[in-house]
Amino acid sequence: MLTRYLLFLLSLQPSFAVPQKDPTLPERLVRQYAAHYRVPPELIAALIDVESRWNPRAVSGKGAMGLMQLMPATARRFGASDPFNVEQNIAAGTRYVTALMWEFHGDMRLVCAAYYAGDHYIAREKLNYRNPEVVAYVEEVRGRYMLRKYLAARPSRRSVP
């Protein structure tokens, strides 16, 4: 069942799911900053998948900007003076995710919910959040994360003798 689900997801968004031979600058920066802050690179990439679909010029209706869709105050708080600068955006977004990981003791459901709805709201509600948008967002990020983990763990054909 899981394999069928993963193959279905691959067919929908193959460019987001299949690792490239020569990773793009944003993909390299995701790995670099995730390693630096010790967070799973698949989580950062999954957030970008859902937030901006890897569009560095994305702007939401609420004013979030860049690949990781940082709100202006969050961007400034975590060191991005230009949220459309790919490196600043990924660095600040990864720092924010790291802060959320500390705040929510590594519970990725709460981290993703807080990334979407705001850490103050989720800190108050914990697992009692019932907003369907938040729940759908967490599930979408979770699906992308699991797919990326699966693909990263899968041996490449080149490694088989």
Side-chain angles (χ1 to χ4, degrees):
M1 178 70 177
L2 177 63
T3 304
R4 214 173 335 160
Y5 176 71
L6 293 172
L7 290 174
F8 172 73
L9 286 176
L10 269 173
S11 69
L12 293 176
Q13 299 286 336
S15 63
F16 295 131
V18 179
Q20 304 293 319
K21 287 181 189 174
D22 183 24
T24 64
L25 174 63
E27 292 166 332
R28 285 193 309 267
L29 291 170
V30 164
R31 282 197 299 245
Q32 174 188 330
Y33 284 102
H36 180 77
Y37 291 107
R38 295 188 174 127
V39 296
E42 298 87 0
L43 175 60
I44 302 302
L47 287 166
I48 294 172
D49 286 345
V50 174
E51 288 289 340
S52 69
R53 307 251 187 261
W54 295 86
N55 177 0
R57 305 299 299 169
V59 179
S60 77
K62 294 183 179 181
M65 300 173 282
L67 286 171
M68 296 196 71
Q69 288 293 279
L70 300 173
M71 294 299 286
T74 304
R76 283 190 303 275
R77 178 177 162 204
F78 290 97
S81 59
D82 176 8
F84 294 111
N85 176 293
V86 171
E87 184 164 8
Q88 287 184 30
N89 190 279
I90 291 171
T94 305
R95 278 192 287 276
Y96 182 40
V97 170
T98 303
L100 293 173
M101 292 285 271
W102 278 95
E103 183 176 350
F104 295 107
H105 307 288
D107 186 328
M108 284 200 230
R109 293 170 302 165
L110 294 177
V111 169
C112 292
Y115 194 87
Y116 181 79
D119 50 334
H120 299 300
Y121 171 74
I122 298 301
R124 186 177 66 243
E125 296 295 319
K126 294 288 184 204
L127 287 174
N128 293 327
Y129 63 87
R130 298 280 187 255
N131 182 321
E133 283 183 38
V134 175
V135 173
Y137 177 84
V138 170
E139 284 302 310
E140 188 174 358
V141 172
R142 181 183 174 278
R144 298 285 182 158
Y145 173 76
M146 295 298 291
L147 178 61
R148 286 180 169 282
K149 289 293 280 185
Y150 170 78
L151 292 172
R154 196 175 65 174
S156 70
R157 291 183 181 201
R158 292 181 188 176
S159 65
V160 178

